[in-house]
Amino acid sequence: MDMTQYKALFLSESREYLRAISEQVVALEQSPSEPGAVDTLFRGAHSLKGMAASMEYGEVVVVAHSMEDLMARVRDGGLKFEAGVADLLLEGVDLIDAMLNDVEADRPVTPPPGDYAQRLAGYTPPPPRKKAEKAPPPPAAPASPEAEKAKEAPALDAGTVRVKTELLDHLINLTGELVTNKNRLLNVAREAGSQPLNDAVSETGKLLRALHDEVMKVRLMPFEAICDRFQRSVRSLAKKSGKEIQFEITGRDIGLDRGTLEQLVDPLNHILRNAVDHGMEESAERAAAGKPEKGVVRLCVSRDRDRIVISVSDDGRGMEPQRMIDAAIRKGVLTPEEGEFLSPRQALMLSCIPGFSTAREVTDVSGRGVGMDAVNAAIQKLGGTLEIESEPGVGSTFTLKLPMTIAIIHALVVQCGAVKGAVPVTAVLRTVELSRRQIETVGKRQMFQLDGETVPLLSLNRVLGLPLGRFPNGILPLFVTEAKGRRVGIVVDRLLGQHELFVKPFGRPLSRMAGLAGGATLGDGEIVTILDLADLL
Amino acid sequence: MIPERLLIFSAAGEEFALNLQEVCEVMEPQPSYPFAGAPPHYLGLINFHGNLTALVDLGMYLGKGGRGAPGKLLVLDTKLAHLALGVDGVSSIVSGETVTGEAPGEEPLIEARLETAAGTVRLLEVEALLRGLEEGLREAPPRPQP
C-alpha cells in the first residue's frame, strides 16, 4: 500500500506528540508527583510508536519504544522521575525530531546512536545525596499549572478539522484582495458623489473587516505551540550555568498569527537566554542580597485590543542606565554630549545597537553584542515594538508589542520625490509638522525638541537615495519612529494619510532587496512599497 | 538543450529568445509605479493579476540601450519570479525543431546562440538573469547617503 499520501499527516501528528512529550517532561521534572502526567507521557510515546510502525519508519519505532519502556518503569513505580530520566527522554525527542526532518526531506532516516536504547534500558538513578537523606520527605506539592497541563493528552477533537496552511494563506489573500477592491470602490463612490453607493461600500467594508477577523482567527495558533522550545532552552541553560531558576509561562492559550509565531521563536529565546545567563545572579549572590536563592523568569503573553503583548521578566540583577551610557561612549557609539541627553529608558535601549554589549564576559550563549539588535530588528519586521524596563538589583522586563495580523495593516503613506511609501502605523509614534525655527543643530546633526526630549532628524529622501525635498513654506512634515532604541524624526515631502493595506510579499528578484517589507495597492490602483524602517535606519 | 518552443523578441535592437514555458504572458505596456533604492534598469512596479511585479528594462540591464518606453512586457512565469521584462517587441513563436544551428552563448545570461528561420537569436537563461538581478539589488540597497 502506498503510504506516501499519509506522510504529511504523520509528520504533523508526530510533531504534536513530540511537543506534548517535551512539555510534559519539563512539567514533570518540576512536579514529579503527578502519576496522571506519567500516563499521558507513556501514551504519547506509545501512539508515536504505533504511527511510525504503520508508516514503516523503523528507526522512529526503536527510539519511541525505548522511551515507552523507560516511562513504563516510571509509571510502574520501578523508577523515580528525576533529571536523569528527563534528560534521556528529551534526548529521544530530539532524535525523533531529527528523524522526522529526514522523512520530510525524503532523506534516509538517520539511525539513533547505537547505545541510546541500551542507556535507557540500563538506566539507574544516581544515589541520593546524604543531605537529602537527612531532610524530611517533602510534602506533596500542589499541582503546578505545568503539571495540570501535562494531564491533558494531545487528543484529536472531533469538532475540528485539519486544514492545509496553503488554503489558509489563500483565504487571507482573497480577503486582502477584497479589501483592496473595497478601497477602489470607495474612491469611485467619492468621485461619483453617490451617497447610496458610498453607504453600500462602507457597509461592505464593515463586513469585510468581520470576514478578515474571522479568517485571521482561523490562522491563529496558540502561543503554546512554541512554548516547549523555551522550556527546553531555559532548563538547559540553567543547568549549564548552575543557576536555580523557576520558569513560569502564562497566556499559553493566546492566539497569534501563524507567521508571527514562527518568527518569534528566535527573538524570545535570545531574551530568555540573556535573562538566565546575564540577568540572573548566582544563588550565593542572591542570598547575600537578601533574595530567594531560586530566581524567577516569567514569560507572559496577553492580548491588549488588537495587539499581543509578550513580556519576559526576571528578578535578577537588573541593568544600570549610566553603565550603558558609559559603555556606549567608550565604544564610540555616543558622544559624551549625546549621552547627557539620554533618558534612563533610552539608555537601556542602547543594548539594541549593533555590536553593543555590556556583558562582562562573553559566554557561548550571549555577551557577543550581536543579539539584541537582531531581536529588535526582528520585532520591528513584524510591525512590533520592544521596550526595556529595568531596576538595578530588582530585575528587568522586556516587553514586545505586536500586531495581531501582519497581512492587513494600517499604514501611514508618505511621499518622497516621485515615490510613495508606506510605514506601518505601529512603527509611527506620532506625526509632526515642524517649523524650520524649531530645528537646532548639535554638532553635525539636526535635532528638535519633543516632549522635553532632544530628537534627531533624518530625511527619508536621503535614506532612500532620492533628491532632498524643498519646503518653501518653512514647514517640514515628519513622523517620529524609534530606531536603535532612540526616537528619530523622519522628514518626508508629504504625509498622505493613513490607509488600510493588504501587504503582499515580493517574489524574485525584489524579495532580496533590503529595506522593503512588501508592497500594497492603494484604492486608486497605485502600488506602494512597505518600508522596513528597521532595515533602512 | 533547445526548448520545445521559443518566444522570439527584440530588446535594444537585438534579437533574443526565451523558453516559451518560462513566459506567462505578453502584455501591452501599462502604468508602473516607481520605488526607491533600486538600480535604474528597474522601471517600477506593475500589478499583474494581483502579483506586485518588478518591471525591468531588459536592454538597459544588458547594457545595450537607454531607458525608453518598452513596446511589450514579457511577464515571466509567476512560479519562477514576479518579474516583467520591458522589450522592444515580440516577433514570433517558433518550434525548437526549426532551429538549424546551436552555438554556446559567449555572454553572461545567454545560454546559446540559435540559428532560426528568423535569423540568429540569443537564448536567455532565466535563472542566471534572476540571480544577476538579485545580486544587483544586494549590491545597491537603499542606504543613507553620507
Side-chain angles (χ1 to χ4, degrees):
Chain A
M1 184 179 168
D2 178 18
M3 302 297 280
T4 51
Q5 56 182 318
Y6 302 114
K7 194 173 91 174
L9 186 64
F10 164 73
L11 287 170
S12 149
E13 291 195 352
S14 299
R15 283 178 174 141
E16 271 182 35
Y17 279 116
L18 280 187
R19 194 168 58 235
I21 291 172
S22 183
E23 276 189 12
Q24 289 167 10
V25 167
V26 177
L28 264 170
E29 203 180 10
Q30 287 186 10
S31 296
S33 54
E34 284 298 321
V38 177
D39 283 343
T40 308
L41 208 53
F42 179 82
R43 281 198 300 274
H46 184 74
S47 304
L48 194 57
K49 185 180 80 173
M51 288 194 310
S54 63
M55 294 292 290
E56 298 177 359
Y57 295 123
E59 307 286 14
V60 179
V61 174
V62 169
V63 176
H65 182 74
S66 305
M67 291 166 70
E68 191 188 357
D69 278 353
L70 186 69
M71 290 177 207
R73 287 170 62 195
V74 176
R75 185 191 58 182
D76 300 340
L79 190 63
K80 193 181 164 198
F81 194 98
E82 39 74 57
V85 174
D87 284 342
L88 285 169
L89 293 176
L90 291 175
E91 186 183 341
V93 167
D94 290 342
L95 286 171
I96 295 180
D97 191 43
M99 291 175 185
L100 296 182
N101 290 340
D102 289 337
V103 169
E104 188 168 35
D106 287 325
R107 291 189 297 257
V109 172
T110 314
D115 66 338
Y116 179 70
Q118 289 160 9
R119 278 191 286 131
L120 264 71
Y123 179 75
T124 49
R129 289 176 193 168
K130 281 185 180 173
K131 189 179 165 188
E133 282 171 5
K134 287 178 189 169
S144 72
E146 305 292 339
E148 285 296 326
K149 194 79 209 168
K151 286 180 185 172
E152 296 162 18
L156 281 177
D157 184 340
T160 61
V161 288
R162 282 177 190 272
V163 179
K164 284 197 170 186
T165 48
E166 291 86 3
L167 178 62
L168 296 182
D169 290 345
H170 189 53
L171 274 175
I172 280 287
N173 278 345
L174 284 173
T175 314
E177 293 292 351
L178 283 170
V179 169
T180 303
N181 274 289
K182 180 252 325 183
N183 291 339
R184 191 173 291 182
L185 280 172
L186 269 179
N187 264 15
V188 172
R190 227 172 275 133
E191 281 167 17
S194 164
Q195 192 54 44
L197 179 57
N198 202 36
D199 293 345
V201 177
S202 295
E203 191 57 35
T204 306
K206 286 180 197 158
L207 293 171
L208 276 175
R209 172 50 67 182
L211 174 65
H212 169 247
D213 289 348
E214 292 304 311
V215 173
M216 284 313 300
K217 275 186 208 159
V218 179
R219 274 174 60 97
L220 296 183
M221 284 176 73
F223 185 74
E224 180 165 30
I226 55 172
C227 282
D228 64 315
R229 308 188 208 188
F230 305 135
Q231 285 174 315
R232 296 280 303 271
S233 173
V234 170
R235 175 186 184 271
S236 130
L237 192 57
K239 256 186 135 177
K240 202 170 175 180
S241 57
K243 293 176 181 172
E244 284 188 74
I245 307 274
Q246 183 180 330
F247 181 44
E248 297 171 0
I249 303 180
T250 56
R252 291 163 172 271
D253 55 337
I254 302 284
L256 278 88
D257 186 84
R258 188 172 57 84
T260 305
L261 205 57
E262 284 165 6
Q263 292 171 63
L264 274 176
V265 174
D266 288 344
L268 282 177
N269 237 335
H270 190 89
I271 297 174
L272 284 166
R273 290 166 79 88
N274 263 349
V276 177
D277 200 34
H278 294 304
M280 201 57 75
E281 314 94 326
E282 306 277 346
S283 298
E285 189 183 337
R286 289 180 65 84
K291 289 176 165 182
E293 287 189 9
K294 199 173 202 179
V296 180
V297 175
R298 288 192 179 88
L299 172 58
C300 303
V301 187
S302 60
R303 193 175 160 173
D304 176 18
R305 284 165 296 175
D306 60 347
R307 285 197 304 184
I308 298 290
V309 181
I310 303 176
S311 67
V312 176
S313 55
D314 65 70
D315 66 348
R317 57 171 65 94
M319 296 188 281
E320 293 167 30
Q322 192 52 49
R323 194 171 144 245
M324 310 285 282
I325 293 173
D326 294 344
I329 293 170
R330 246 189 346 267
K331 287 166 192 275
V333 174
L334 282 181
T335 63
E337 293 76 34
E338 286 174 324
E340 283 175 23
F341 286 116
L342 291 191
S343 63
R345 192 187 73 89
Q346 286 177 317
L348 292 174
M349 291 302 287
L350 286 169
S351 60
C352 296
I353 291 177
F356 183 90
S357 174
T358 58
R360 292 188 182 96
E361 271 178 62
V362 171
T363 70
D364 60 347
V365 287
S366 45
R368 294 179 192 279
V370 293
M372 283 309 294
D373 61 311
V375 168
N376 196 30
I379 301 306
Q380 288 194 20
K381 237 180 201 3
L382 291 168
T385 56
L386 171 69
E387 288 167 23
I388 306 175
E389 289 168 278
S390 189
E391 198 176 327
V394 177
S396 305
T397 300
F398 293 75
T399 306
L400 282 57
K401 292 182 180 166
L402 298 154
M404 286 283 286
T405 159
I406 49 174
I408 295 175
I409 62 165
H410 284 92
L412 173 68
V413 178
V414 299
Q415 178 116 32
C416 294
V419 173
K420 282 182 188 171
V423 181
V425 292
T426 50
V428 177
L429 300 175
R430 62 192 283 185
T431 57
V432 177
E433 290 198 324
L434 190 70
S435 162
R436 280 193 195 281
R437 292 195 308 274
Q438 295 171 271
I439 300 174
E440 307 160 8
T441 303
V442 179
K444 287 182 181 173
R445 305 180 81 167
Q446 295 199 304
M447 323 275 263
F448 76 108
Q449 293 295 322
L450 183 69
D451 305 331
E453 192 179 301
T454 305
V455 176
L457 286 168
L458 197 58
S459 159
L460 188 57
N461 294 48
R462 189 186 289 276
V463 171
L464 296 173
L466 297 167
L468 293 183
R470 298 173 190 282
F471 305 98
N473 59 359
I475 300 293
L476 281 70
L478 61 92
F479 65 88
V480 181
T481 188
E482 203 162 67
K484 299 189 177 80
R486 298 188 64 183
R487 292 205 283 182
V488 186
I490 306 290
V491 180
V492 297
D493 288 355
R494 282 175 68 198
L495 299 167
L496 299 173
Q498 188 177 315
H499 291 251
E500 185 182 39
L501 299 178
F502 171 42
V503 181
K504 293 181 181 181
F506 287 128
R508 294 181 75 187
L510 292 188
S511 51
R512 305 293 166 95
M513 186 168 169
L516 297 186
T521 307
L522 299 178
D524 59 1
E526 193 169 349
I527 300 170
V528 292
T529 50
I530 314 295
L531 301 175
D532 181 351
L533 291 179
D535 218 359
L536 284 170
L537 304 178
Chain B
M1 191 176 152
I2 299 171
E4 201 176 319
R5 288 196 295 172
L6 297 160
L7 177 80
I8 312 289
F9 63 94
S10 59
E14 297 186 20
E15 294 295 305
F16 293 91
L18 273 169
N19 181 347
L20 187 64
Q21 284 200 327
E22 293 172 334
V23 180
C24 185
E25 198 167 312
V26 177
M27 294 172 76
E28 294 300 320
Q30 59 165 288
S32 66
Y33 300 96
F35 61 100
H41 47 263
Y42 284 88
L43 301 180
L45 289 162
I46 62 168
N47 190 341
F48 177 68
H49 301 314
N51 286 328
L52 304 184
T53 303
L55 174 59
V56 165
D57 183 327
L58 182 63
M60 194 175 184
Y61 176 60
L62 296 175
K64 294 180 184 301
R67 187 170 176 147
K72 295 282 182 197
L73 308 185
L74 309 184
V75 185
L76 297 190
D77 185 345
T78 52
K79 290 191 201 79
L80 299 173
H82 288 173
L83 178 67
L85 301 175
V87 301
D88 298 343
V90 171
S91 51
S92 58
I93 293 171
V94 300
S95 162
E97 290 173 359
T98 64
V99 172
T100 54
E102 180 185 4
E106 288 165 354
E107 300 159 76
L109 315 184
I110 304 299
E111 198 173 331
R113 295 171 74 90
L114 305 176
E115 298 300 329
T116 72
T120 305
V121 298
R122 279 175 291 176
L123 178 63
L124 270 178
E125 190 188 340
V126 167
E127 181 52 38
L129 173 71
L130 288 171
R131 278 201 308 268
L133 286 166
E134 287 171 342
E135 201 58 43
L137 287 171
R138 271 197 290 267
E139 283 167 8
R143 282 283 178 259
Q145 294 177 341

